[in-house]
Amino acid sequence: MAAPVPALTLTLTLVLTLAVALAWPTGSAARAIAAQTANGKTGVARANPVQPAGTGRVAATGLTFVTQQFPPFNYQERTGDEERVAGPVAEIITLACQRMGVGCTFRLLPWARAQQEVRSGAADGIFVVGRVPEREDWLHFCPPLVRGEYGFFVRMENPLHYTAPRDVAGYRVGVYGPSLTAEILNQLARQARMTVDVAAENDAGFLKLAQGRIDAVFSNKDNGLATIALLRIANLRYAGWHSRVDYTIAFSRHAAPEVVAAFEAALHALHREGELEQRLSRYGLHSVFPGQKGGAPDTPGAPGAPRGETPAMPAAMLDAAPNLAASTGLD
């Protein structure tokens, strides 16, 4: 009775061999698997540089970006009961996410809370943010997008044309804080004697200056001009800049490297097509993305020449002005 066992074994072996042969991919299918395996991932087409491996989860959940009220760069619009984050950088991020094939959502928060959400990984990215060394350990910075200029605002009757810290010696200077802006002003205060008046709300300093309660406000130039226009203050002007910092979009260190790479690839594509400059210029801003022709030539941090711009609302904000939410601060 033992003789049939080898025959049964041979039959099973032949069946299994035939099944494997039929299931094993050949031709283009086999080459595709080999290429994907060589890539270290499966299910990813090498021909798409903007959506590399690892973006599948992001495609399902989308990317979350946090920001603050910081016109004209980013601000919250209210239409009836609905609110949305608007501004050129939100538009650019939306375009980049579309290139990646993922959704993106925005949350406008107080600046300290926004930074904490990115530190913890609760949010994927943050904008706009100044690139400074102390943030490198918890943020991955995209290439510079737009240049921020820090300077002094004074009352119209003040003849100040700021060129050096000694020009504001003895001044009482308002600034929003805690912020990078306040840190820069505190460094200035060690070079020339002045009183630093820190306010928790961005609008507060400009309102106090308009009333003559302080001598100057130290602020981002574009944000200051937009804020003064929104507050309808008519007796303030920009007196000159002290330093410049490049602003950009940054990702949490918790974000997957391949997702960050895909986003940056999308930014480069938008730059080549002129979309970055187009979106920024509608708000009176200009791209400093690497390779941008006609970008601001000045070195960030260099002392400034005298300026005297008066407040003006960026063209793209004119229609939105009545619907802007209250300001929460600046960086």
Side-chain angles (χ1 to χ4, degrees):
M1 298 297 294
V5 175
L8 177 60
T9 302
L10 178 61
T11 301
L12 288 174
T13 301
L14 290 172
V15 170
L16 288 174
T17 302
L18 178 61
V20 170
L22 291 173
W24 187 255
T26 60
S28 59
R31 288 193 295 272
I33 290 177
Q36 292 162 356
T37 304
N39 238 358
K41 302 285 181 179
T42 61
V44 178
R46 291 178 61 90
N48 185 355
V50 181
Q51 193 176 12
T55 58
R57 179 194 63 79
V58 175
T61 63
L63 292 171
T64 300
F65 293 87
V66 290
T67 188
Q68 62 174 332
Q69 186 77 353
F70 190 32
F73 301 93
N74 25 266
Y75 53 90
Q76 189 172 67
E77 284 184 354
R78 289 175 178 165
T79 305
D81 295 332
E82 295 184 0
E83 296 181 343
R84 75 179 188 96
V85 174
V89 183
E91 293 176 12
I92 288 168
I93 291 173
T94 300
L95 289 175
C97 288
Q98 289 173 353
R99 291 295 182 98
M100 294 171 64
V102 303
C104 61
T105 57
F106 303 105
R107 299 177 61 212
L108 190 139
L109 302 170
W111 192 232
R113 182 179 168 191
Q115 293 180 80
Q116 182 55 41
E117 293 230 345
V118 176
R119 279 179 179 268
S120 67
D124 298 295
I126 188 170
F127 67 100
V128 291
V129 60
R131 182 165 190 168
V132 289
E134 52 266 33
R135 290 172 172 167
E136 296 280 354
D137 61 338
W138 57 279
L139 284 178
H140 172 92
F141 290 92
C142 295
L145 189 61
V146 62
R147 186 149 296 166
E149 179 175 305
Y150 297 97
F152 291 89
F153 289 84
V154 296
R155 289 167 63 92
M156 287 292 189
E157 63 267 25
N158 186 334
L160 174 71
H161 288 285
Y162 178 84
T163 58
R166 63 177 179 274
D167 296 336
V168 290
Y171 274 41
R172 185 178 186 87
V173 183
V175 66
Y176 164 76
S179 66
L180 176 60
T181 317
E183 293 175 14
I184 295 173
L185 183 61
N186 284 325
Q187 294 172 5
L188 271 175
R190 290 193 284 271
Q191 301 176 44
R193 182 181 57 83
M194 69 182 75
T195 301
V196 176
D197 186 75
V198 180
E201 295 291 336
N202 182 40
D203 295 355
F206 292 102
L207 292 170
K208 290 171 74 172
L209 177 59
Q211 297 164 4
R213 296 165 56 192
I214 55 179
D215 302 304
V217 167
F218 186 71
S219 171
N220 171 279
K221 172 193 168 184
D222 294 298
N223 174 254
L225 293 174
T227 299
I228 292 169
L230 287 169
L231 293 173
R232 294 178 171 82
I233 297 174
N235 64 340
L236 303 183
R237 68 176 182 86
Y238 188 62
W241 63 277
H242 168 73
S243 61
R244 288 171 172 164
V245 173
D246 285 342
Y247 288 143
T248 190
I249 303 155
F251 278 84
S252 168
R253 288 291 182 184
H254 296 278
E258 57 268 27
V259 172
V260 178
F263 187 88
E264 291 189 351
L267 286 182
H268 279 279
L270 292 171
H271 164 66
R272 289 192 300 270
E273 296 166 9
E275 282 284 357
L276 299 186
E277 178 63 20
Q278 179 181 340
R279 299 285 170 164
L280 290 165
S281 63
R282 293 176 58 241
Y283 294 82
L285 306 170
H286 297 284
S287 172
V288 293
F289 201 83
Q292 177 68 37
K293 294 181 179 179
D298 305 279
T299 302
R307 300 289 177 87
E309 286 93 338
T310 54
M313 186 81 70
M317 290 181 62
L318 288 174
D319 294 335
N323 302 318
L324 287 181
S327 179
T328 60
L330 62 93
D331 188 28

